[in-house]
């Protein structure tokens, strides 16, 4: 293990700090704003693309970096190494955005739940939230405990040299609650659903703390240099109709209400909300104060585009997603075909030159979930190239 790195295992309170992250020079001007234009609903020369979990286990260079760090959390809490992991996929693929290398579970870890990642088993919390007293103890964590994330954002902006924008992110209050109550990944969400139906008052208190924590966390990422922010509601889709609106959507709205709209230089920061399995609730999500809605592969893009362009006095929202990550485990020929399907399902992007200020629903193809660890990198390259080439032909 590299002697400059923190030991494996970690304590968020003692996260490794670069000596100089706050003193870094101002990041370079942005060279590729295609993704940000699409977020704002502005015309683009081609359709931008980036992928959920584009950094991570499918890349051999990522596995080497994680081995060097000693563990996933040792890597995530080391700002320079986290920045390196952020930029790694950009060396292989002409992506239009980078996402800071971190995890949604840093926030409950900072609340004192004791996060670890067990090999082959995923995340684990030493102190899950199960009883009234556990909920009563929860509070918005001191953001200093998450400083390693904000330092990673600063370091990643430096490492990117303005090549593409950097996305900051957090889990939605509901999705974080799933891990906090279940104690880790779950296949049936039985524990949190029992809480939901038997003690909704406790769940509401937990979700309120999560919402206020996530808002403070995303605001600090924006202050550190995140140029767009994304909320992952990965498990919103496991909720019943009605419960989704009450226990997920309402708290996503509570986060969005509190977010700063501009970065430290006064540049507006778009907000993206992704709900896996949430396609049927797009009309309700249209009411969210965000610029982009992420959808998975179960959604019909033409119908989604119509829903988000409704003439209801609200600005059009853009769409992100719709590709099935399983497609990436096939062949470049199948990938080309699926990209064509998605681009045609969305339809011809609104016309206007790429410098026009006319806003409409735009599309950023994206996976409806994270890249699988056994995805061949050459297939990811084929996907990015297919989106760029085919979308130019559509314009
Ligand atoms: O490009 C990137 O890799 C960006 C960094 C990133 C992001 C955006 C990671 C690194 N995780 C996430 C988000 C995240 N984490 C989500 C939302 C996106 C989604 O729905 O997939 C979720 C649900 C998590 C929770 C989590 N962290 C899981 C899933 C567990 C489950 O319930 O099945 C896992 C396996 C992790 C660990 C993790 N986070 C990130 C990576 C690369 C890994 C794998 C750790 C490793 O083996 O190195």
């Amino acid at each position: 293990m590299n002697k400059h790195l923190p030991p494996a295992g970690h304590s968020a309170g003692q996260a490794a700090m670069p000596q100089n992250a706050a003193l870094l020079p101002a990041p370079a001007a942005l060279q590729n704003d295609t993704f940000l234009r699409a977020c704002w609903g502005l015309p683009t020369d081609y359709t931008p693309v980036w992928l959920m979990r584009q950094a991570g286990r499918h890349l051999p260079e990522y596995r080497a970096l994680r081995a060097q760090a000693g563990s996933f959390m040792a890597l995530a809490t080391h700002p320079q190494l986290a920045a390196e992991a952020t930029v790694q996929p950009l060396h292989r693929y002409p992506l239009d955005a980078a996402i800071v290398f971190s995890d949604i579970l840093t926030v409950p870890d900072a609340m004192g739940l004791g996060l670890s990642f067990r090999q082959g088993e995923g995340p684990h919390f030493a102190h899950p939230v199960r009883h009234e007293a556990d909920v009563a103890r929860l509070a918005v964590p001191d953001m200093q405990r998450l400083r390693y994330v904000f330092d990673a954002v600063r370091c990643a902006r430096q490492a990117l040299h303005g090549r593409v924008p950097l996305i900051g992110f957090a889990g939605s209050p509901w999705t974080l609650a799933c891990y906090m109550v279940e104690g880790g990944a779950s296949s049936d969400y039985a524990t949190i659903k029992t809480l939901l139906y038997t003690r909704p008052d406790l769940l509401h208190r937990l979700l309120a703390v999560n919402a206020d924590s996530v808002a403070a966390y995303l605001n600090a990422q924006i202050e550190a240099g995140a140029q767009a922010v994304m909320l992952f509601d990965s498990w919103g889709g496991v909720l019943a109709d009605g419960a989704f609106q009450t226990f997920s959507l309402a708290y996503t709205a509570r986060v969005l209400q509190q977010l700063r709209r501009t970065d430290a230089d006064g540049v507006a920061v778009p907000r993206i909300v992704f709900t896996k399995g949430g396609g049927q609730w797009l009309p309700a999500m249209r009411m969210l104060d965000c610029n982009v809605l992420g959808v998975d592969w179960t959604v019909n893009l033409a119908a989604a585009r119509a829903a988000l362009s409704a003439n209801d006095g609200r600005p059009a929202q853009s769409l992100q997603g719709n590709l099935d990550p399983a497609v990436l485990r096939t062949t470049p020929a199948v990938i080309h075909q699926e990209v064509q399907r998605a681009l045609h399902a969305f339809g011809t992007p609104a016309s206007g030159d790429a410098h026009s200020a006319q806003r409409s629903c735009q599309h950023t193809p994206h996976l409806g979930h994270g890249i699988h660890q056994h995805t061949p990198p050459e297939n990811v390259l084929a996907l990015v190239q297919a989106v760029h080439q085919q979308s130019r032909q559509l314009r």
Side-chain angles (χ1 to χ4, degrees), residues 50-57 62-63 66 71-72 75 85-86 89 98-105 117 119-123 169-171 175 179 184-186 189 232-235 274 276 368-371 373:
W50 71 277
L51 302 167
M52 198 184 298
R53 305 268 181 100
Q54 61 191 22
R57 285 188 293 185
Y62 165 78
R63 292 194 292 269
R66 191 186 56 181
S71 70
F72 172 77
L75 176 52
T86 304
I99 181 160
V100 63
F101 188 81
S102 188
D103 197 76
I104 62 167
L105 302 177
F117 286 91
Q119 203 64 37
E121 279 181 45
F169 71 92
T175 291
Y179 288 98
S186 172
Y189 303 91
F232 287 98
D233 190 21
S234 301
W235 310 126
F274 164 68
K276 182 164 174 279
H369 207 53
I371 295 185
Q373 61 171 312

Side-chain angles (χ1 to χ4, degrees), residues 35-248:
F35 170 72
L36 292 182
R37 287 187 63 86
C39 288
W40 292 117
L42 298 171
T44 55
D45 290 330
Y46 64 90
T47 300
V49 57
W50 71 277
L51 302 167
M52 198 184 298
R53 305 268 181 100
Q54 61 191 22
R57 285 188 293 185
H58 85 288
L59 290 175
E61 57 272 32
Y62 165 78
R63 292 194 292 269
L65 198 61
R66 191 186 56 181
Q68 183 195 346
S71 70
F72 172 77
M73 278 314 279
L75 176 52
T77 54
H78 191 291
Q80 280 94 349
L81 292 187
E84 197 177 327
T86 304
V87 179
Q88 274 180 343
L90 275 290
H91 295 316
R92 278 185 185 256
Y93 320 122
L95 296 155
D96 296 290
I99 181 160
V100 63
F101 188 81
S102 188
D103 197 76
I104 62 167
L105 302 177
T106 51
V107 170
D109 183 51
M111 291 176 177
L113 270 59
L115 174 66
S116 61
F117 286 91
R118 294 176 169 180
Q119 203 64 37
E121 279 181 45
H124 173 81
F125 282 116
H127 314 291
V129 178
R130 295 273 164 82
H131 307 290
E132 189 152 2
D134 303 330
V135 177
R137 262 196 303 273
L138 288 177
V140 175
D142 180 352
M143 288 296 132
Q144 279 301 321
R145 292 177 67 85
L146 290 158
R147 212 178 120 181
Y148 63 90
V149 179
F150 316 134
D151 286 337
V153 169
R154 286 190 192 89
C155 289
R157 281 291 303 274
Q158 289 298 317
L160 285 166
H161 293 300
R163 190 170 150 187
V164 293
L166 179 66
I167 303 169
F169 71 92
S172 73
W174 162 255
T175 291
L176 293 183
C178 287
Y179 288 98
M180 294 163 76
V181 173
E182 299 290 338
S186 172
S187 54
D188 58 6
Y189 303 91
T191 315
I192 191 163
K193 285 194 174 188
T194 301
L195 185 71
L196 184 157
Y197 290 115
T198 57
R199 290 297 306 269
D201 58 314
L202 289 186
L203 187 54
H204 278 298
R205 164 148 164 78
L206 164 54
L207 291 166
V209 174
N210 282 359
D212 297 348
S213 305
V214 164
Y217 181 58
L218 286 178
N219 280 337
Q221 290 186 48
I222 293 170
E223 278 156 30
Q227 290 154 295
V229 287
M230 176 153 172
L231 272 172
F232 287 98
D233 190 21
S234 301
W235 310 126
V238 306
L239 285 164
D241 184 47
F244 170 75
Q245 289 84 340
T246 306
F247 295 98
S248 173

Side-chain angles (χ1 to χ4, degrees), residues 204 207-209 211-212 215 249-259:
H204 278 298
L207 291 166
V209 174
D212 297 348
L249 193 64
Y251 290 93
T252 295
R254 179 165 169 158
V255 175
L256 293 170
Q257 265 162 18
Q258 299 179 60
L259 288 191

